[in-house]
Amino acid sequence: MDTAARAGETAQTLDRGLRLLHLVADAPGGLTVTEAANRLGIGRAAVYRLVGALTDHGMLRRDGAGRLRLGAGVLHLARRAQPLLAEGALPALRRLAEQAGATAHLTVVEGGEGVALAVVEPTWTSFHVAYRTGSRHPLERGAAGRAILAGRAGAAAPVSTSGELQSGAYGVAAPVLGVPGLEASVGVVSLTPLDVTEVGTQVAAAAESIAAALS
């Protein structure tokens, strides 16, 4: 086999391995080897070879029923990528915090929860919400999580909530769409009611800016 043919075979194997990871990531209940083979359009033997290599690197694992699930290696890579995501989002978050006069944040999905990956507080307000980086909350509660769920359904409109995560706190958030492999939202949280129309426009613009920066 010549060099070009070997390179082509290697690229095809890499493509299949990455597609397999995406398939498993999108399957909450995991996948069997047969299901993976059918979705990839390749034989079971080829899938077993992919699974072996990906398992050796910690990217896949088998659960008690033998179904394929993501391994801890994927989480390790995700954590290493998080500082890069936060850095890319900071300029838009700073603008948003100053415009809205409220604490701005980028929230990502990790382990089925929303996690505040980056937080920026406004510089000119007397009082604002102290929202800590690393704070976790269910996706079903709070504007940030609800915006992520809306984004899964393809809805880009801002979401507003009141008092769902903290009594007396108001939130507006919009999903970050169009970044492969990323589920996230951008939002603000305030101790006073927010003008949903005005702040919603600002939040949506920040989400688009961050999506462009991360794409």
Side-chain angles (χ1 to χ4, degrees):
M1 183 182 296
D2 60 27
T3 301
R6 285 197 297 270
E9 183 176 311
T10 299
Q12 182 185 60
T13 300
L14 177 59
D15 176 72
R16 287 174 173 175
L18 292 173
R19 287 168 58 202
L20 177 57
L21 284 176
H22 281 288
L23 286 174
V24 174
D26 291 337
L31 289 177
T32 66
V33 169
T34 299
E35 290 170 338
N38 290 338
R39 297 186 188 186
L40 288 172
I42 61 178
R44 286 165 49 90
V47 173
Y48 275 116
R49 288 194 293 271
L50 293 173
V51 170
L54 290 170
T55 300
D56 288 344
H57 288 280
M59 298 298 165
L60 287 181
R61 63 180 177 84
R62 287 176 177 269
D63 63 16
R67 299 179 72 83
L68 303 175
R69 296 183 180 274
L70 293 182
V74 173
L75 295 177
H76 175 71
L77 288 179
R79 292 192 181 98
R80 295 294 294 270
Q82 285 182 351
L84 298 177
L85 294 177
E87 182 178 347
L90 283 176
L93 290 178
R94 291 192 184 101
R95 288 195 299 271
L96 178 59
E98 296 301 314
Q99 288 173 339
T103 301
H105 53 84
L106 172 69
T107 297
V108 299
V109 176
E110 184 179 282
E113 296 181 303
V115 181
L117 183 61
V119 177
V120 175
E121 298 176 355
T123 61
W124 57 271
T125 55
S126 299
F127 301 98
H128 50 258
V129 174
Y131 191 41
R132 292 183 299 176
T133 300
S135 297
R136 290 178 171 269
H137 56 78
L139 294 178
E140 296 79 12
R141 295 177 57 195
R146 291 185 181 277
I148 289 172
L149 294 178
R152 287 180 178 176
V159 175
S160 63
T161 59
S162 173
E164 290 194 354
L165 292 178
Q166 180 180 333
S167 178
Y170 301 84
V172 178
V176 177
L177 302 176
V179 182
L182 177 68
E183 283 193 304
S185 68
V186 177
V188 294
V189 58
S190 172
L191 294 172
T192 57
L194 297 165
D195 183 329
V196 177
T197 300
E198 180 180 1
V199 175
T201 298
Q202 296 167 349
V203 166
E208 292 178 0
S209 177
I210 289 173
L214 300 180
S215 296

